[in-house]
Amino acid sequence: MAGGKIFTKSNILEYSLLVGGCAIFSLGAVLLVEPYGFAPGGTYGISMVFHHLWGWRTEVSALCMDIPLLIIGTLILGGRFGFKTLLCTLLVPVFFWVIHQTYGFDSLIEPEVSQKIAAEGLTGVAAIQQYDHQLLAAIFGGVLYGVGLGMIFRSRATSGGSDIISMIVNKYMHISLGTCVIIVDGLITLSTVVAFGDWKLPMYSWLIIIIESLIIDKVIEGQASKTMMIISSKPEQIRKIIIDDMGRGATLIPAQGMYRGEPKDIIYVTLTRREVVNLRYRIAEIDPDAFINVLNSAETIGLGFKSIKD
């Protein structure tokens, strides 16, 4: 806690992100992922398989796995998880329970199907096969998963669960953490084939994981930025546009052309997507022969972008 204070702006923001992320993740899981028998990794993925096989409540099964894993992880790996991860472990099943109690177990996209399933007493793969919009559910389930988990990660918490298994495997088998996560989540995803005998289910689950990972990156990194490297015979006019009109900074790098050996200046500047389009049009008006190289920036930290303290 900064300066020993609990209710600081930073703490309020972080815990708001944590609570909101848990809520959004739970909405995506209950309304879009759980009804279709998907298992996109994690303890909640395997718990959804148990739910369709034996009728167990997903949140109860996941909590029964998450708490022991958190204890084992703390004993083996040390207290690296912290209060926020414990809070996340408890909040998600609470949100699951609230949504189940208020909305039920229906799919948001096909709420009427669950009535037919209940009326005919269908379970397992027979119940899952009644749904028609798996692709739509997988896409938007992945979006909500990504937004929710991205908010959790931005609050500097982890989701616990199978991530702890991956960390333990990483410690003793010296396999990279990223590889461990892929192996653990991949095995959980493939469990749907064993449980239901349907190869389409892990494919939809992999689609959720891919979309989720892309959205997490966007949420964590914030607004995407681009880096431009500009070579022009009119650097001073371009400098005025960047500094005076756009209010951005830039760096002038002395260079030498390899073809004729002539001295050149490279203008190095990082901008938002919208600013890149604007500057590109302005340069075209000033110097149609300018050379421009636009690069994707995975993360931009500093003045005018995300604060380095964040």
Side-chain angles (χ1 to χ4, degrees):
M1 301 299 178
K5 296 179 180 179
I6 298 176
F7 297 106
T8 63
K9 181 180 178 181
S10 174
N11 286 333
I12 292 172
L13 176 60
E14 286 184 1
Y15 281 97
S16 297
L17 283 170
L18 177 63
V19 175
C22 290
I24 292 172
F25 171 83
S26 301
L27 283 169
V30 174
L31 303 182
L32 295 170
V33 177
E34 183 182 63
Y36 294 87
F38 303 146
T43 53
Y44 280 87
I46 194 67
S47 296
M48 289 174 191
V49 174
F50 296 159
H51 169 71
H52 285 284
L53 284 177
W54 302 305
W56 297 354
R57 292 284 289 258
T58 301
E59 62 268 31
V60 175
S61 301
L63 188 61
C64 289
M65 288 185 278
D66 283 345
I67 294 298
L69 282 173
L70 196 59
I71 294 171
I72 294 169
T74 301
L75 292 174
I76 294 177
L77 303 172
R80 70 170 67 178
F81 304 108
F83 175 73
K84 288 179 184 174
T85 298
L86 174 61
L87 182 61
C88 180
T89 300
L90 298 175
L91 276 177
V92 172
V94 169
F95 282 121
F96 261 71
W97 181 84
V98 170
I99 299 168
H100 280 146
Q101 293 300 115
T102 56
Y103 181 80
F105 294 81
D106 293 343
S107 162
L108 180 65
I109 302 171
E110 302 173 87
E112 70 285 348
V113 176
S114 64
Q115 298 173 7
K116 177 184 177 183
I117 292 172
E120 298 184 10
L122 301 175
T123 58
V125 68
I128 294 169
Q129 288 174 343
Q130 301 303 309
Y131 291 101
D132 297 320
H133 297 295
Q134 292 96 330
L135 180 59
L136 193 61
I139 292 172
F140 284 95
V143 170
L144 289 183
Y145 262 43
V147 172
L149 290 173
M151 291 171 67
I152 291 170
F153 295 155
R154 282 202 69 165
S155 73
R156 293 189 284 184
T158 65
S159 55
S162 62
D163 290 348
I164 298 174
I165 300 175
S166 302
M167 292 177 187
I168 294 172
V169 173
N170 167 254
K171 178 177 180 179
Y172 290 105
M173 299 187 67
H174 305 293
I175 303 172
S176 72
L177 187 58
T179 302
C180 291
V181 170
I182 291 172
I183 292 172
V184 172
D185 283 349
L187 290 174
I188 291 172
T189 299
L190 288 172
S191 68
T192 54
V193 178
V194 179
F196 307 121
D198 188 348
W199 275 100
K200 294 192 296 295
L201 293 176
M203 293 178 184
Y204 285 124
S205 298
W206 289 328
L207 178 61
I208 293 172
I209 293 171
I210 292 169
I211 295 172
E212 166 196 321
S213 63
L214 294 173
I215 298 295
I216 286 173
D217 288 343
K218 297 297 182 184
V219 173
I220 291 176
E221 294 168 7
Q223 185 181 22
S225 58
K226 301 273 190 179
T227 295
M228 297 182 73
M229 301 185 75
I230 307 158
I231 301 176
S232 171
S233 60
K234 301 176 180 179
E236 182 59 26
Q237 290 176 260
I238 297 174
R239 185 196 71 82
K240 287 181 179 179
I241 295 172
I242 297 171
I243 304 296
D244 299 335
D245 297 349
M246 305 181 70
R248 289 291 188 182
T251 300
L252 199 64
I253 304 172
Q256 185 178 36
M258 293 188 66
Y259 186 68
R260 293 192 176 92
E262 298 175 347
K264 296 180 180 291
D265 289 320
I266 300 174
I267 301 171
Y268 177 94
V269 60
T270 300
L271 305 167
T272 65
R273 291 179 187 272
R274 181 179 57 81
E275 290 170 333
V276 165
V277 174
N278 183 29
L279 181 57
R280 197 163 55 192
Y281 277 112
R282 298 288 298 276
I283 293 174
E285 294 172 355
I286 296 169
D287 183 6
D289 297 322
F291 177 85
I292 302 174
N293 186 20
V294 182
L295 308 172
N296 287 319
S297 299
E299 187 173 20
T300 306
I301 301 173
L303 186 63
F305 295 90
K306 183 169 65 175
S307 170
I308 194 168
K309 292 188 293 183
D310 296 334

